Amino acid sequence: MIEKLAESKVQAISFFSGCGGLDIGTQMAGARIISTLDFEPATVETVKANEFFKFAEHNCADIRNVSGKDYSALLRSSNPDKLIIVGGPPCQPFSKAGYWITNEKRKAVDDERNMVGEYLRIIEEIRPDGFLLENVESILHPTNKAAVDYIEEKITRMGYHFVRILANALEYGIPQKRKRVLFLASKKPISGQPTKLAPEEVEKVSVLDWIGRFDKPELSENEESTEGKTYDYELSEIPPGHNYIALSARDNYPNPKFVANKRFWNFLLKLHPLQPSWTIAAQPGPWVGPFHWNNRRLRAQEVAAIQTFPMDYKFVGSRRIIQKQIGNAVPSLLGEKFVEHLIKFI
């Protein structure tokens, strides 16, 4: 597959590349990544460590210090027939954690953590044939209406047609309930969205099919054990597919340990092997799930598999840094589906 990419007439520049989840999907869709950019050194080292991106230059930089002119020489030498840009600008201003802020006080469009404007700026400077912008589901919350209006008006003013899609990764065969908003834009009219699985196929998606192969003693990690720690016993009492509420009066647990709805829903949350995973977090607390049904924390290989990274993909950094990289990534197969759809319209 990698050698076929060398001949691809569709090429891609990636921004906010992270550890490469979306970029893997972009190349799986047939577009050769010729450049990546991210602000975090560890993520740049991860992408560099993988032969999969041997055709790309990798830049560690702040997008605010980068302009379209910086890509002129690269584009002259690569000479793509078609060029796309892919990226998921940081989403902190649009997270659910900010819902308590009133509409009058919210400043998502102007928030210094909001790189959407910078992403659209560099797209306007480079003028690709099409682009993909990925963000969190909660950007569609009413408190973020100004941000969504800004994005859509800016895309239109730049002369692009677009579709906005709220996607649940599970509906595309990814073993994870993970909702994301994707804007697909092209200089040509664009419509529709990637084909979803039939409902009966979605019901068959199980996390066991993706991570079962990693449940071996020789693949264990020091960080996975909860033995002797605060809620080790409670975790062992929770049935697969449930959270702390299983140990509450609401679920008829004798001598209840917890009160229902008094904790975050993912507290002591445990995977069921025959069901999909919940969203993988980038920085989970010590007792935030999902946990493995065998009463342990998930291994890095398992977390990566749930995000549909290739089995041989290499990650650089400490266990905590690797978790952050994987949790922040776009599932690779989701990227593939949406970039494939975009390419049809450029």
Side-chain angles (χ1 to χ4, degrees):
M1 174 186 172
I2 296 178
E3 298 312 318
K4 283 186 178 179
L5 284 168
E7 303 168 5
S8 175
K9 302 301 182 183
V10 181
Q11 297 176 18
I13 297 173
S14 166
F15 293 97
F16 310 103
S17 307
C19 62
L22 176 56
D23 298 353
I24 292 168
T26 298
Q27 294 207 144
M28 289 169 63
R32 171 160 45 104
I33 297 286
I34 58 173
S35 178
T36 71
L37 181 142
D38 201 89
F39 184 66
E40 294 285 347
T43 63
V44 177
E45 290 305 311
T46 287
V47 174
K48 283 182 178 180
N50 287 277
E51 181 74 4
F52 193 60
F53 295 116
K54 71 177 187 178
F55 301 114
E57 62 174 29
H58 304 294
N59 303 297
C60 185
D62 187 327
I63 193 173
R64 290 173 290 191
N65 301 325
V66 175
S67 78
K69 292 179 181 178
D70 297 325
Y71 292 86
S72 298
L74 174 66
L75 291 172
R76 279 196 302 271
S77 62
S78 298
N79 192 30
D81 284 4
K82 296 289 184 179
L83 177 70
I84 63 173
I85 289 178
V86 298
C91 54
Q92 290 95 327
F94 311 127
S95 70
K96 291 181 180 179
Y99 282 2
W100 63 273
I101 304 174
T102 64
N103 280 311
E104 291 76 16
K105 291 182 180 178
R106 283 188 73 84
K107 57 169 189 174
V109 173
D110 300 319
D111 193 305
E112 65 180 9
R113 299 166 300 165
N114 173 18
M115 292 289 107
V116 170
E118 294 294 330
Y119 184 55
L120 294 173
R121 170 190 61 79
I122 206 155
I123 287 170
E124 187 169 27
E125 291 172 0
I126 295 175
R127 300 295 301 170
D129 297 284
F131 65 89
L132 179 152
L133 189 162
E134 179 266 351
N135 216 290
V136 291
E137 172 197 13
S138 43
I139 194 176
L140 298 182
H141 189 273
T143 55
N144 292 319
K145 184 177 185 303
V148 175
D149 289 348
Y150 165 77
I151 292 169
E152 297 186 345
E153 290 168 8
K154 179 68 173 177
I155 292 174
T156 301
R157 284 201 309 271
M158 291 192 299
Y160 288 92
H161 304 270
F162 75 92
V163 291
R164 185 187 79 202
I165 302 163
L166 174 59
N168 185 343
L170 177 61
E171 295 178 328
Y172 298 91
I174 289 121
Q176 182 183 180
K177 300 172 185 177
R178 188 183 189 96
K179 291 184 179 180
R180 287 297 185 270
V181 173
L182 297 106
F183 295 85
L184 303 182
S186 174
K187 290 179 180 177
K188 297 178 180 179
I190 183 170
S191 61
Q193 59 180 291
T195 303
K196 299 178 183 179
L197 295 181
E200 59 270 21
E201 293 177 303
V202 173
E203 291 178 3
K204 296 177 183 177
V205 177
S206 76
V207 73
L208 177 64
D209 291 338
W210 291 79
I211 71 171
R213 70 191 72 182
F214 302 113
D215 193 21
K216 302 173 183 177
E218 61 267 27
L219 298 178
S220 65
E221 296 177 349
N222 292 333
E223 299 87 351
E224 73 184 46
S225 175
T226 63
E227 188 175 354
K229 297 182 180 176
T230 310
Y231 295 110
D232 176 44
Y233 175 74
E234 285 78 4
L235 180 66
S236 70
E237 288 282 282
I238 293 172
H242 292 264
N243 64 1
Y244 77 97
I245 293 176
L247 307 187
S248 71
R250 198 200 76 176
D251 281 18
N252 301 311
Y253 186 78
N255 301 315
K257 300 288 183 71
F258 304 107
V259 177
N261 303 319
K262 292 292 186 179
R263 303 255 185 172
F264 287 113
W265 68 274
N266 50 5
F267 178 64
L268 300 182
L269 181 66
K270 187 185 290 186
L271 293 177
H272 190 294
L274 301 183
Q275 296 172 1
S277 173
W278 290 271
T279 300
I280 294 298
Q283 296 175 291
W287 295 101
V288 168
F291 289 85
H292 196 279
W293 52 88
N294 286 338
N295 306 314
R296 59 171 174 79
R297 296 185 177 91
L298 292 173
R299 297 165 182 171
Q301 288 175 302
E302 292 167 334
V303 178
I306 291 170
Q307 284 280 60
T308 64
F309 278 89
M311 280 185 61
D312 60 350
Y313 201 73
K314 300 170 185 170
F315 296 92
V316 176
S318 66
R319 179 63 180 82
R320 180 184 62 81
I321 288 173
I322 289 172
Q323 174 79 32
K324 183 179 179 182
Q325 290 181 29
I326 299 172
N328 280 331
V330 176
S332 298
L333 290 186
L334 186 68
E336 179 188 18
K337 298 289 187 183
F338 278 82
V339 173
E340 274 183 347
H341 191 73
L342 172 61
I343 290 173
K344 293 177 184 176
F345 294 93
I346 62 171

